[in-house]
Amino acid sequence: MASRQDNNIHSDWYEAVRDYTVRLAKVRSVSPGDGENRVAYEVLNLLCEGGLDTIYTTYGLDPLAEDPYKRHNAYGFLRGSSPATLILLGHIDTVDTKDYGSLEPLALDPEQLTTQQHLLWRQGTESGNGDDWLFGRGVADMKSGVAINIALLRRLAQRAQVEQLPLSILLLATPDEENESAGVLQAVHFLQRLQAQYQLDYLGVINTDYSTELYPGDPHHYVYTGTVGKLLPGFLCIGRESHVGMPFNGIDANLLAAELIRDLSMNDELCDRVRGQITAPPVTLHATDLKARYDVQLPFAAYFSLNVLTFHTDPRQLLTRLQDRAEQVLKRLLATIDETERRWRFASQGSKQEHIQSRTGVVLTYAELYQNTVQHLSHAQVEAELNAEWERWPAELDKRERSLHLVHKLWTISGRQGPAVILYYAPPYYPHVAATPCVLQDAIAAVVQAHPETRLVQHEYFPYLSDLSYLRLDVGIDSTALKANMPVWQDSMPGAPVRPGSYYLPLEAIQQLNIPVANFGVHGRGAHQRDECVAMSYSFGTLPQLLYETIEYLGNYSGSPSDG
């Protein structure tokens, strides 16, 4: 990483952005929790210092509906001479600090922690690479990005004191990005209200979340004009009960789950590939059997969830692909058990003649199991059973766990026997967003081209999950299979109460907004790790100026704001 002096094209941003970063990082805002409100208040304090509160067209806190932590989005808005509007987006929450171990007391004190890290480097207990890095929880992911947005809006507010801005600018600081993105989902409705109130045309949204090197020694910085998506399929694996001394009378559900995991996890055949980029392969996020205590019965129910990142695969396509693979895995496993039983019986009984009946099983989606069970019982009875199961559990139960209970209950009342695999979806769902030809993309390309010394490279898909997924919905995405196979999905009806523990996305509102997205963020390392840090020279000095020039390009734009 180049030094601050070598890489900084405009040092007048540096001290302000560094100061704002430190001040934001000192506020504990682990998601989900009420600390996210404290950092939202600090965002407003920083925006309004020096009497700038009188300059903004509007600013404040927008409450998250039905939120158990009473959290808010912070916002500031400057109305320019044009309805064309750029949104500066950033999230204000972080993951926990327990991973810092003995250094946890310093995790929210970037200056002290950075001093300690430099001391460790000098003592040779940790590797280091210069004094350009500021350490601390959230400094890269992404309070430094929020600090840049604050500095930009303050600079534009000062400019608005003497001239009317040619462009309208909105800053949004959202909680809960590290959890289920409740902040930006509330912001969807806020953006619609603001758009109607001021007759705005949204040119696009720039998220300033961190990016990092793509390989060791990578000298580049990156800007992205789309974002990766995510689906979380669950697999309920049903075996057959049996005494462990007679395992051929049953099916070990853990074995079935293990074979599926071996086939699916880290399998690059399931990666999406688009225009030179490839998603990270799927990995499991949780796996366990459903036995509550020790006994000598085979575990006959197990489950796991699979994290699948997407560039183009939609929920229906993934479900079809996974069902096909699961059927192949189940067929191979049962054939292997058949053959093992033949060998075992010959070894233990000396018999080659005994007939072994071939085992068979089934792979069903949740929607298929539901329809089959309704035919076996009735729609009213199935709904009554599932509602009773829902009410059995507290409102604060994790949505992934609630999903599993509902799928297992449906299997139980279906009257079917294993072996079987039930495929379903659990929250959260992040739609992927492709690059959109638009003036925002033109502005970013122009700024990248104007500054070759920054070694900026433009890619399409931001490779990390982000709030950008909820501001644009690509036309080709089919969400029908998602809703039909997600047990906790609840369509929202105007005025209807939200069912505790349910999951919903305002997909129609997102489609109506249809905002082009970009991530043009700080350079960091070690996000969600104890060595999280941000490169100060680029992030505090160079990047704010690049973003300011992007805004100036957009301000000079005239004509229809976007074709996206």
Side-chain angles (χ1 to χ4, degrees), residues 247-268:
F248 292 110
N249 291 345
I251 297 287
D252 179 359
N254 283 335
L255 176 60
L256 175 53
E259 289 298 308
L260 286 166
I261 291 171
R262 181 165 63 175
D263 182 75
L264 299 172
S265 183
M266 295 300 292
N267 187 341
D268 60 353

Side-chain angles (χ1 to χ4, degrees), residues 9-21:
I9 60 176
H10 267 269
S11 61
D12 55 342
W13 296 98
Y14 186 95
E15 294 301 333
V17 176
R18 188 183 189 281
D19 176 55
Y20 301 159
T21 300

Side-chain angles (χ1 to χ4, degrees), residues 352-363:
K352 290 185 179 180
Q353 305 302 321
E354 185 171 344
H355 175 70
I356 303 296
Q357 184 174 356
S358 296
R359 294 166 172 85
T360 60
V362 64
V363 178

Side-chain angles (χ1 to χ4, degrees), residues 236-555:
L236 176 61
C237 303
I238 304 295
R240 284 280 188 93
E241 67 277 12
S242 173
H243 191 287
V244 295
M246 296 178 288
F248 292 110
N249 291 345
I251 297 287
D252 179 359
N254 283 335
L255 176 60
L256 175 53
E259 289 298 308
L260 286 166
I261 291 171
R262 181 165 63 175
D263 182 75
L264 299 172
S265 183
M266 295 300 292
N267 187 341
D268 60 353
E269 291 181 6
L270 296 171
C271 294
D272 276 358
R273 293 167 170 84
V274 174
R275 291 178 283 278
Q277 285 187 272
I278 180 172
T279 59
V283 290
T284 61
L285 290 182
H286 192 60
T288 185
D289 62 47
L290 303 190
K291 291 183 72 169
R293 60 184 180 275
Y294 172 82
D295 58 33
V296 291
Q297 185 183 50
L298 279 183
F300 58 91
Y303 103 103
F304 66 94
S305 58
L306 191 72
N307 189 83
V308 182
L309 301 180
T310 66
F311 288 159
H312 62 76
T313 299
D314 73 16
R316 184 179 302 281
Q317 292 167 335
L318 179 63
L319 207 60
T320 299
R321 191 178 307 163
L322 293 178
Q323 190 170 14
D324 289 344
R325 295 194 74 98
E327 287 172 350
Q328 295 170 24
V329 169
L330 179 58
K331 183 178 180 180
R332 287 198 303 268
L333 174 61
L334 296 181
T336 298
I337 294 173
D338 290 346
E339 181 59 31
T340 302
E341 184 178 8
R342 291 188 187 95
R343 293 197 308 269
W344 181 83
R345 290 199 181 281
F346 176 74
S348 62
Q349 301 167 11
S351 172
K352 290 185 179 180
Q353 305 302 321
E354 185 171 344
H355 175 70
I356 303 296
Q357 184 174 356
S358 296
R359 294 166 172 85
T360 60
V362 64
V363 178
L364 298 170
T365 66
Y366 178 81
E368 290 171 340
L369 179 62
Y370 184 93
Q371 291 301 321
N372 291 345
T373 308
V374 165
Q375 292 171 6
H376 172 64
L377 301 173
S378 70
H379 184 269
Q381 186 174 350
V382 170
E383 281 299 300
E385 294 279 3
L386 292 178
N387 286 335
E389 183 67 20
W390 193 304
E391 298 302 325
R392 246 185 88 208
W393 303 98
E396 61 272 16
L397 181 72
D398 181 86
K399 291 182 177 66
R400 273 63 47 188
E401 191 172 349
R402 185 181 299 276
S403 300
L404 172 64
H405 288 310
L406 291 169
V407 178
H408 191 234
K409 181 65 175 181
L410 184 61
W411 171 262
T412 301
I413 66 175
S414 73
R416 304 180 70 112
Q417 284 191 311
V421 179
I422 312 303
L423 275 166
Y424 63 96
Y425 281 123
Y429 168 52
Y430 289 80
H432 52 258
V433 181
T436 306
C438 58
V439 66
L440 175 60
Q441 196 169 20
D442 294 343
I444 289 171
V447 170
V448 169
Q449 186 175 5
H451 292 286
E453 75 282 0
T454 62
R455 295 181 174 179
L456 264 170
V457 176
Q458 188 170 330
H459 283 325
E460 183 168 3
Y461 291 96
F462 183 54
Y464 314 115
L465 298 177
S466 81
D467 284 344
L468 291 176
S469 284
Y470 300 117
L471 295 173
R472 183 179 182 88
L473 190 65
D474 285 348
V475 175
I477 292 179
D478 181 0
S479 61
T480 306
L482 176 80
K483 298 176 184 179
N485 290 283
M486 185 177 284
V488 297
W489 182 274
Q490 179 192 11
D491 279 317
S492 178
M493 302 296 291
V498 176
R499 190 174 194 181
S502 65
Y503 184 74
Y504 166 74
L505 294 177
L507 297 175
E508 290 185 5
I510 294 170
Q511 280 185 319
Q512 290 168 6
L513 282 175
N514 206 32
I515 306 174
V517 306
N519 195 90
F520 200 166
V522 301
H523 183 85
R525 288 179 180 169
H528 297 197
Q529 301 173 31
R530 60 176 284 170
D531 60 347
E532 178 179 352
C533 56
V534 62
M536 294 185 287
S537 59
Y538 175 78
S539 304
F540 298 169
T542 303
L543 180 60
Q545 180 61 26
L546 297 175
L547 291 168
Y548 191 78
E549 291 179 17
T550 302
I551 294 169
E552 286 188 317
Y553 182 102
L554 293 171

